[in-house]
């Protein structure tokens, strides 16, 4: 298995993946740091006067998504795309071995542990970073297996436990900020496992102090040095909204994630691509999966006799339901995507394989068929997408496969970047900013089909050298007019057709 992943990683280094918007914004911070800004500071044109710059501490996402590739850029002298490919390869391999040893430490046989890892490798989510670098997602996969191994391996409360929790919390957050709910679950698990069987309340309190104190210190460090410096997804909420999916979606996480159901259906409730099901049927499927997930957890608890594993699975499942349920209830800025709850499916994998191993042959063949469908779907996703990135997508300075521009248009933009030193380039996709070496960039949200925007979010006042606005050709018309009005300091725009798919508005 590791050999196949290694080969995939080498292929990825030779032809880097595209990139999700979240890590591309992190890479913009990396670019600012390369040009001399302080840690995690993104320097960009000021909306009130683009002749000046403004600085922003990017607390919305954890820094590992760009810090790890940045490290590889510095060590190996490679471009951003290749550096992110190295990160994907190493953290994929780390995740494979981490979960294998975690499953063994939890009590499963080497065969069950290996088959569980194979089951994980079949999932669409494992192949995603080989098509789109997803930053914290792949880093978290590489980290959590070893973290859970530590949670199982620790047998008593001492300084080793305290050091593990303090350092482990910080490292996990660096990988991805959503690690914090997993951290809370791990602390609950450790407290229960180390205290169960002790009848005196003093022992429970002592264990709570040993676990709680380093955890609080770790969280304080994270908050003081990072989260307090800017907004984050949980800090922005709406009104209370209780719907069937509010708690149904996190309850359904074992089935949705372990069997790639949310991925294979283009997202039951949240989707970038055209949905496979209407909202109504999406909710129905989520509720069915919630019932099946509860039954799955119940059967694992009844049939699997490894107490630490069962306790860990139940605690993580309950904490995930409570955390995401209240987040969805408050309408926090967290989407209904199964990737946020992937860890539940990962932890459940050996329990599922163990249950299947106890079934009759006919049911085993049914499971094999399901695995074949998942594997084939992952293959159909990965292979065409890889060659799309390698042979069709545009490539420039960053090395990243660019999906939102073609090669002739990117070449034209790159030449403009070389010819200017005080220009501003405007894009509707954050990854395109990574192709600009010598000038400043602005990323604005793409205008939707209703052609309605909040000008306060789009308007950039003032004047500062040549302005180049790169847009898809379907913006010709009202959308182009809106974009030009967002820069009132510039007049006399000239349009150039970069290709059949992209246009350039420039003003000097």
């Amino acid at each position: 298995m590791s050999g196949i992943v290694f080969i995939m990683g080498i292929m990825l280094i030779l032809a880097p993946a595209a990139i999700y918007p979240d890590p591309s914004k992190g890479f913009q911070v990396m670019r600012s740091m390369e040009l001399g800004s302080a840690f995690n500071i993104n320097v960009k044109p000021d909306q009130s006067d683009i002749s000046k710059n403004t600085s922003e501490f990017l607390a919305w996402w954890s820094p590992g998504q760009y810090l790890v590739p940045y490290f590889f850029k510095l060590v190996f002298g490679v471009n951003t795309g290749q550096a992110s490919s190295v990160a994907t390869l190493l953290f994929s391999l780390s995740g494979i071995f981490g979960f294998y040893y975690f499953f063994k430490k939890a009590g499963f046989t080497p065969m069950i542990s290996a088959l569980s890892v194979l089951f994980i490798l079949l999932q669409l989510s494992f192949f995603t970073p080989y098509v789109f670098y997803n930053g914290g997602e792949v880093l978290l996969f590489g980290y959590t297996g070893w973290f859970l191994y530590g949670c199982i391996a620790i047998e008593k409360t001492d300084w080793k436990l305290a050091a593990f929790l303090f350092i482990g919390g910080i490292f996990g957050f660096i990988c991805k900020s959503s690690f914090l709910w997993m951290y809370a679950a791990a602390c609950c698990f450790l407290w229960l496992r180390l205290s169960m069987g002790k009848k005196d309340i003093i022992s429970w309190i002592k264990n709570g102090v040993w676990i709680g104190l380093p955890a609080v210190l770790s969280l304080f460090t994270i908050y003081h040095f990072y989260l307090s410096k800017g907004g984050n997804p949980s800090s922005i909420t709406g009104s209370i909204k209780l719907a069937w999916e509010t708690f149904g979606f996190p309850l359904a996480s074992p089935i949705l994630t372990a069997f790639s159901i949310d991925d294979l259906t283009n997202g039951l409730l949240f989707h970038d691509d055209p949905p496979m099901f209407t909202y109504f049927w999406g909710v129905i499927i989520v509720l069915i999966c919630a019932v099946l997930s509860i039954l799955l957890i119940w059967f694992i608890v009844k049939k699997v006799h490894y107490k630490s594993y069962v306790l860990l699975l139940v605690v993580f499942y309950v904490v995930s339901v409570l955390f995401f349920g209240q987040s969805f209830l408050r309408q926090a800025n967290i989407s209904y995507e199964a990737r946020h709850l992937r860890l539940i499916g990962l932890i459940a994998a050996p329990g599922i394989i163990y249950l299947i191993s106890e079934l009759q042959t006919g049911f085993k063949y049914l499971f094999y068929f399901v695995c074949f469908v998942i594997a084939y779907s992952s293959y159909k996703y990965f292979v065409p997408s890889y060659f799309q990135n390698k042979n069709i997508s545009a490539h420039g300075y960053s090395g990243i496969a660019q999906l939102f521009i073609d090669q002739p248009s990117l070449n034209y933009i790159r030449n403009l970047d070389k010819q200017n030193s005080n220009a501003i380039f405007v894009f509707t996709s954050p990854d395109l900013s990574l192709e600009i070496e010598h000038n400043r960039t602005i990323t604005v949200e793409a205008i939707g089909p209703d052609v309605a925007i909040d000008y306060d979010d789009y308007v950039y006042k003032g004047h500062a050298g040549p302005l180049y606005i790169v847009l898809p050709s379907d913006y010709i018309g009202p959308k182009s007019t809106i974009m030009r009005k967002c820069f009132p300091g510039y007049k006399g725009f000239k349009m150039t057709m970069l290709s059949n798919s992209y246009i350039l508005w420039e003003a000097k």
Side-chain angles (χ1 to χ4, degrees), residues 309-360:
Y309 168 77
V310 169
L311 178 63
L312 187 144
L313 173 62
V314 171
V315 169
F316 272 73
Y317 183 48
V318 171
V319 171
S320 70
V321 171
L322 293 176
F323 174 80
F324 285 98
Q326 62 84 27
S327 297
F328 295 145
L329 184 67
R330 298 183 298 113
Q331 297 192 70
N333 201 346
I334 300 175
S335 57
Y336 282 91
E337 292 180 85
R339 64 185 178 88
H340 298 309
L341 295 133
R342 184 189 180 194
L343 183 64
I344 303 301
L346 297 175
I347 296 174
I352 294 171
I353 300 300
Y354 183 91
L355 292 179
I356 297 301
S357 69
E358 299 292 309
L359 295 177
Q360 296 180 353

Side-chain angles (χ1 to χ4, degrees), residues 405 408-418 425 427 436 468 470 498 504:
I405 199 167
S409 302
L410 182 56
N411 292 341
Y412 191 96
I413 297 304
R414 293 272 294 131
N415 286 330
L416 287 177
D417 179 46
K418 294 176 182 178
F425 289 81
F427 302 108
I436 303 302
Y468 302 103
V470 182
L498 301 178
L504 173 73

